[in-house]
Amino acid sequence: MDALSQLIDALRCLPGIGHKSAQRMAFYLLQYQRQRGLHLATCLDTAMRMVKHCERCNNYTTEQQCNICVTQDRDPALLCVVESPADVVAIEQSHAYHGYYYVLMGKISPLDGIGPDDIGLPKLEQCIINHNVMEVILALSPTIEGQTTMHFIHTLLKPHALQITQPAHGLPSGGELEFLDGRTIGNALNNRANVVL
Amino acid sequence: MDALSQLIDALRCLPGIGHKSAQRMAFYLLQYQRQRGLHLATCLDTAMRMVKHCERCNNYTTEQQCNICVTQDRDPALLCVVESPADVVAIEQSHAYHGYYYVLMGKISPLDGIGPDDIGLPKLEQCIINHNVMEVILALSPTIEGQTTMHFIHTLLKPHALQITQPAHGLPSGGELEFLDGRTIGNALNNRANVVL
């Protein structure tokens, strides 16, 4: 197989990229972006070799601890438990949270053979004891697996004298009421609050 | 900027990939496909450095001539002119053509400042003389730029005693008549042929 066919084949490791898209990407890089293609090769190689998990929160980092865990100006009493590093990025972009994180790197999914020990839950308990956490926010996806994981963590942490919370469920910002599903509207009505203007 | 941010940024050189998709790709590779990610880095590096243009037909190759031009069992009297290497792949997959190719690597587009010399048309004339071509098939896209390029090549090649053809325009195979545009149906009706069963 020649270098071009190998590149097209290798590009298919990217999520959502089939043969046709891979071919388009390869031809595009060869015709217009050789320098950036070479740069991508270097970045890929470095990241695949160097990026590991933060020893405190499990998030991706090239150091021993990630750049969130090493900052001193966050509230150590707050710990937000999320499924993936992408969730950390999303919450950080909201600028609404100033505590630390714990990244599960997955969720409990018996159908896929993923149990509590596969997503490092024992380490979570240790993390809570080590850092004097007072409140744990379970920011897990409102899916079956996410809710299963949430219930499991809730049971696990109950013996510790902790406040265990979850983000509010209600109307998403900017959405039109008529296009929302019944469950979201139901949750929003059940959790209604006094109007404060 | 750390290795992960650099990777996310570098992935945006791929066509159609924005920040969000790049982030998703990076996290996916790190979590599930590190080995394939490393392999992609190697393939990218090799292809960006080694792939050049075939000296006869302009298609991509790592050798002096591409693997179509080096085969001896094709019809040297036939030359199919296409815009890009992707067109060669598409025509080869039809298994309906057994001549050689000439890849323009672009099309005449005065609005983008691309003239006849930018897409190597002088070399096409030389190629036709060198290889005793008898018929040139202009398989260019039915777009304004494609048609402009076709007219230009037609004028260029007229002095040579050559047959100059283009692929038939008509109904695409497997398409439903009701969803086709008026121009396609019009062409198909104008080019109608006797029913042979």
Side-chain angles (χ1 to χ4, degrees):
Chain A
M1 207 158 59
D2 63 13
L4 179 55
S5 312
Q6 282 192 339
L7 172 59
I8 293 173
D9 202 59
L11 280 166
R12 295 184 59 186
C13 73
L14 299 172
I17 302 302
H19 182 79
K20 207 87 185 177
S21 307
Q23 183 186 298
R24 184 169 149 252
M25 285 175 167
F27 285 147
Y28 175 83
L29 289 178
L30 285 169
Q31 190 163 7
Y32 303 111
Q33 304 272 16
R34 291 218 182 198
Q35 279 313 311
R36 290 185 70 185
L38 280 173
H39 178 66
L40 172 57
T42 315
C43 291
L44 255 176
D45 190 83
T46 311
M48 294 301 119
R49 285 180 205 279
M50 307 286 287
V51 174
K52 50 192 181 183
H53 293 285
C54 168
E55 61 171 20
R56 175 167 168 180
C57 79
N58 264 342
N59 201 352
Y60 289 130
T61 178
T62 45
E63 312 297 324
Q64 227 171 346
Q65 292 206 344
C66 73
N67 51 11
I68 293 177
C69 286
V70 292
T71 46
Q72 300 292 327
D73 58 349
R74 287 177 172 252
D75 186 351
L78 275 175
L79 188 75
C80 183
V81 178
V82 294
E83 286 163 18
S84 73
D87 297 331
V88 174
V89 174
I91 296 177
E92 283 297 291
Q93 275 169 358
S94 76
H95 296 292
Y97 178 69
H98 303 287
Y100 291 89
Y101 293 92
Y102 187 83
V103 185
L104 295 173
M105 294 303 300
K107 42 197 165 182
I108 296 174
S109 176
L111 281 177
D112 302 312
I114 302 172
D117 292 347
D118 299 309
I119 57 171
L121 283 178
K123 209 177 119 191
L124 167 63
E125 220 175 340
Q126 203 50 53
C127 173
I128 285 164
I129 296 164
N130 288 352
H131 298 96
N132 294 315
V133 174
M134 311 291 282
E135 180 181 349
V136 173
I137 305 169
L138 302 177
L140 300 163
S141 302
T143 58
I144 305 265
E145 291 90 357
Q147 297 305 296
T148 309
T149 312
M150 207 170 88
H151 282 112
F152 189 92
I153 299 178
H154 193 261
T155 315
L156 184 81
L157 300 184
K158 228 173 181 179
H160 303 270
L162 278 173
Q163 201 180 351
I164 302 175
T165 57
Q166 65 173 345
H169 283 194
L171 305 180
S173 191
E176 304 240 19
L177 206 72
E178 64 171 317
F179 298 119
L180 289 171
D181 62 299
R183 202 162 164 151
T184 299
I185 293 178
N187 278 334
L189 287 175
N190 290 335
N191 301 334
R192 66 189 177 280
N194 287 323
V195 175
V196 183
L197 290 176
Chain B
M1 209 157 59
D2 62 14
L4 179 56
S5 312
Q6 281 190 339
L7 172 59
I8 294 173
D9 202 60
L11 280 165
R12 296 184 59 188
C13 72
L14 298 172
I17 302 302
H19 181 79
K20 207 83 186 179
S21 308
Q23 184 186 297
R24 184 168 149 252
M25 286 175 166
F27 286 148
Y28 175 84
L29 289 178
L30 285 169
Q31 190 163 6
Y32 304 110
Q33 304 273 15
R34 291 217 185 200
Q35 280 312 312
R36 290 184 70 185
L38 280 173
H39 178 64
L40 171 57
T42 315
C43 291
L44 254 177
D45 191 82
T46 311
M48 294 302 121
R49 286 180 204 281
M50 308 285 288
V51 174
K52 51 193 181 182
H53 294 284
C54 168
E55 62 172 19
R56 174 166 168 183
C57 79
N58 263 342
N59 201 354
Y60 289 129
T61 179
T62 46
E63 311 298 323
Q64 224 169 347
Q65 291 206 345
C66 72
N67 50 13
I68 293 178
C69 285
V70 293
T71 46
Q72 301 292 328
D73 59 348
R74 288 178 171 250
D75 185 351
L78 274 176
L79 188 75
C80 182
V81 179
V82 295
E83 286 163 20
S84 73
D87 297 331
V88 174
V89 174
I91 295 176
E92 284 297 292
Q93 276 168 357
S94 77
H95 298 291
Y97 179 68
H98 304 287
Y100 291 89
Y101 292 93
Y102 187 85
V103 185
L104 295 173
M105 294 304 299
K107 41 196 165 182
I108 296 174
S109 175
L111 281 177
D112 303 312
I114 301 171
D117 291 347
D118 299 309
I119 57 172
L121 283 179
K123 211 177 118 190
L124 167 63
E125 219 175 339
Q126 202 51 52
C127 174
I128 286 164
I129 296 163
N130 288 352
H131 298 97
N132 294 317
V133 174
M134 309 291 282
E135 179 181 351
V136 173
I137 304 170
L138 301 178
L140 300 162
S141 303
T143 58
I144 304 266
E145 291 90 355
Q147 296 306 297
T148 309
T149 311
M150 207 171 87
H151 281 114
F152 189 92
I153 298 177
H154 193 262
T155 315
L156 184 81
L157 300 184
K158 226 172 182 178
H160 303 269
L162 280 172
Q163 198 179 355
I164 302 175
T165 57
Q166 64 174 345
H169 283 192
L171 306 179
S173 191
E176 305 240 18
L177 206 73
E178 61 172 318
F179 298 119
L180 289 172
D181 63 298
R183 201 160 165 154
T184 299
I185 294 179
N187 279 334
L189 287 175
N190 288 336
N191 302 333
R192 68 189 176 278
N194 287 324
V195 175
V196 183
L197 292 175

